[in-house]
Amino acid sequence: MSEIERPTGDRETGPRRIVHRGEHCYTLLGTAHVSRASAEEVQREIETGNYDAVAIELCDARHAAITRSGEIEQMDLFQVLRQGKAGMVAANLALGAYQQRLADQFGIEPGAEMRAAITASEKADLPLVLVDRNIGITLKRVYRRIPWWQRMSTLGALFASLLSREKIEEEDIERLKEGDMLESTFNEFATESATMHETLIDERDRYMAAQLLKRPPKRNTLVVVGAGHLKGLANYLEAGMADPDATVRSLDDVPPGARWVKWLPWIVVALVLVGFAIGFSRSTGLGQQLVVEWVVINGALSAIGAAAALAHPLTVLTAFVAAPLTSLNPTIGAGMVTAAAELWLRKPRVGDFSTLKSDVTQVSGWWKNRVSRTLLVFVFSTIGSAAGTYIAGFRIVGQLFGG
């Protein structure tokens, strides 16, 4: 059974749901992720001594970001590039910049209530349980589950909104009070996409309920979650689950990408090489013309991307030379080569890592800081090379079969 409770008193308090399952009791405290009052309420609640454990709406990655904030200063950019995580690091920096804009504009600290829960539970010597799904898995499931044609527009609009310097409106703040930074950032898209809404919100409600149910709970557990998760999480806890472990495994699974997407780069390479062969079979001049167009279009667009990131002139030249070759080998991206060149030519200084978070709150800071600029070189030159591959490919087809 569950009941809704809103304590009374002089202080402002958030909504809560109390769920009883046998001898165990879950107190779900709905918080506003941009409210100083919520952080104070979490601390007061833990200090009452009424709880045996504290569960919070964080995953391991976000918990590490809060408790080990200096970790970014130890980041190995070469490792980031080799592991294909440059895009994810750039996305996390953009999200962090959005959070900092909130702090600067409204004098608030997003996620302060989670920090309060971590600190207060440690002080009270209470077990702390991280119940949310890993943010990387959530984003991958969103990416894989929405139609491929929506992906680029969604990512582009997301980065545009995160990098915008327009003031954040009060209505945006109100949305943040009902959910968390992740779902609020995607709010515009989630309201128009049932799939995105399910992945960002409903799946996480189920996941957190399963995490709470799969381990023998303490008698009284305080669960700190965004107010937007209160109803869904309470309903799943009240209904119970036959196999919480199976639920967690299924929601941690990332759907495989479509096979044609995986094979598409190789198909394009095969078609380009076949096009060259056909061109040379018709005439040496035509074959040479196709090769030159491939090199010029692919190399130029990748170089333009690197130049747009204000890369070193030799990095721009590297992009022009490398892109036509890497596009014929899908296992190596042009961005990996250009970013490595930029790192070699302009090795980030200690100060670049220490000021990275503050620099990226300004659009110009992305180009000023050597770390973020290297990420931009990777992203922009990759986009340029990808565009060049398809444009040059269509040019080859046109030359051969256009009549």
Side-chain angles (χ1 to χ4, degrees):
M1 295 293 293
S2 71
E3 56 191 84
I4 300 176
E5 180 182 295
R6 184 183 290 273
T8 58
D10 295 334
R11 295 189 179 97
E12 178 186 351
T13 57
R16 60 182 71 191
R17 290 280 290 267
I18 299 176
V19 180
H20 298 279
R21 290 196 59 81
E23 60 180 3
H24 305 295
C25 176
Y26 300 93
T27 299
L28 313 185
L29 180 60
T31 64
H33 294 290
V34 292
S35 167
R36 192 173 292 107
S38 281
E40 294 170 354
E41 183 181 9
V42 168
Q43 181 176 339
R44 289 197 307 269
E45 196 69 27
I46 294 174
E47 289 174 350
T48 63
N50 295 332
Y51 303 100
D52 305 304
V54 177
I56 57 177
E57 183 198 332
L58 284 182
C59 63
D60 50 358
R62 285 185 287 166
H63 177 265
I66 288 178
T67 57
R68 300 198 296 272
S69 58
E71 202 170 60
I72 196 167
E73 298 178 18
Q74 312 300 322
M75 180 173 58
D76 186 335
L77 268 182
F78 277 109
Q79 278 293 100
V80 168
L81 295 172
R82 271 212 310 257
Q83 295 172 2
K85 295 181 178 179
M88 180 61 73
V89 171
N92 282 334
L93 284 175
L95 284 169
Y98 183 68
Q99 292 179 327
Q100 190 59 49
R101 284 172 58 205
L102 286 171
D104 293 342
Q105 185 175 332
F106 295 98
I108 53 182
E109 182 187 6
E113 85 289 6
M114 296 299 168
R115 295 177 187 271
I118 293 169
T119 302
S121 62
E122 182 178 345
K123 184 177 179 181
D125 197 25
L126 295 176
L128 182 70
V129 184
L130 309 179
V131 293
D132 202 1
R133 182 170 60 190
N134 182 276
I135 184 174
I137 293 176
T138 295
L139 292 176
K140 285 178 181 177
R141 282 180 67 90
V142 169
Y143 183 79
R144 290 285 173 81
R145 294 190 67 197
I146 61 176
W148 66 269
W149 47 269
Q150 285 186 357
R151 294 174 184 174
M152 292 306 296
S153 61
T154 299
L155 290 174
L158 172 64
F159 272 96
S161 66
L162 292 177
L163 295 177
S164 170
R165 293 309 301 165
E166 292 182 4
K167 282 196 171 185
I168 300 167
E169 300 296 332
E170 290 291 342
E171 61 187 39
D172 296 322
I173 292 296
E174 291 305 312
R175 283 204 300 268
L176 284 169
K177 289 181 179 180
E178 292 302 317
D180 65 12
M181 188 62 61
L182 180 61
E183 66 210 40
S184 297
T185 302
F186 284 90
N187 185 72
E188 177 183 347
F189 310 105
T191 55
E192 299 175 0
S193 169
T195 298
M196 193 174 290
H197 183 278
E198 179 187 358
T199 308
L200 286 174
I201 301 173
D202 184 68
E203 280 190 0
R204 290 170 60 211
D205 289 343
R206 271 197 294 152
Y207 189 92
M208 289 189 285
Q211 287 281 60
L212 290 167
L213 292 170
K214 78 173 187 176
R215 57 176 58 83
K218 300 291 183 177
R219 289 182 61 87
N220 293 290
T221 302
L222 176 67
V223 185
V224 181
V225 294
H229 287 287
L230 205 59
K231 181 179 178 180
L233 177 56
N235 290 343
Y236 281 119
L237 279 176
E238 188 177 36
M241 295 179 184
D243 191 346
D245 285 294
T247 298
V248 169
R249 286 194 300 269
S250 67
L251 294 176
D252 268 336
D253 182 57
V254 177
R259 288 189 176 183
W260 69 268
V261 174
K262 184 178 180 180
W263 287 102
L264 183 60
W266 294 100
I267 293 172
V268 171
V269 168
L271 291 175
V272 169
L273 294 177
V274 169
F276 290 160
I278 294 174
F280 278 105
S281 69
R282 292 184 181 177
S283 73
T284 301
L286 177 58
Q288 291 175 343
Q289 179 183 344
L290 296 180
V291 171
V292 168
E293 287 194 4
W294 170 264
V295 171
V296 171
I297 295 174
N298 206 310
L301 288 179
S302 185
I304 289 172
L310 299 185
H312 190 282
L314 289 179
T315 302
V316 176
L317 179 61
T318 299
F320 183 85
V321 174
L325 299 174
T326 58
S327 294
L328 295 176
N329 182 3
T331 62
I332 302 175
M336 292 182 63
V337 178
T338 55
E342 185 70 12
L343 279 176
W344 182 68
L345 292 164
R346 288 172 169 165
K347 187 175 179 62
R349 299 155 297 203
V350 173
D352 291 306
F353 286 96
S354 61
T355 63
L356 179 60
K357 286 186 176 180
S358 59
D359 286 342
V360 296
T361 60
Q362 301 285 337
V363 174
S364 60
W366 283 83
W367 280 261
K368 174 185 174 183
N369 187 290
R370 290 190 176 189
V371 177
S372 53
R373 184 170 57 202
T374 299
L375 295 174
L376 290 182
V377 169
F378 173 89
V379 173
F380 289 177
S381 60
T382 297
I383 293 173
S385 179
T389 297
Y390 291 101
I391 292 173
F394 282 119
R395 285 280 302 170
I396 290 172
V397 172
Q399 292 278 5
L400 294 175
F401 307 107

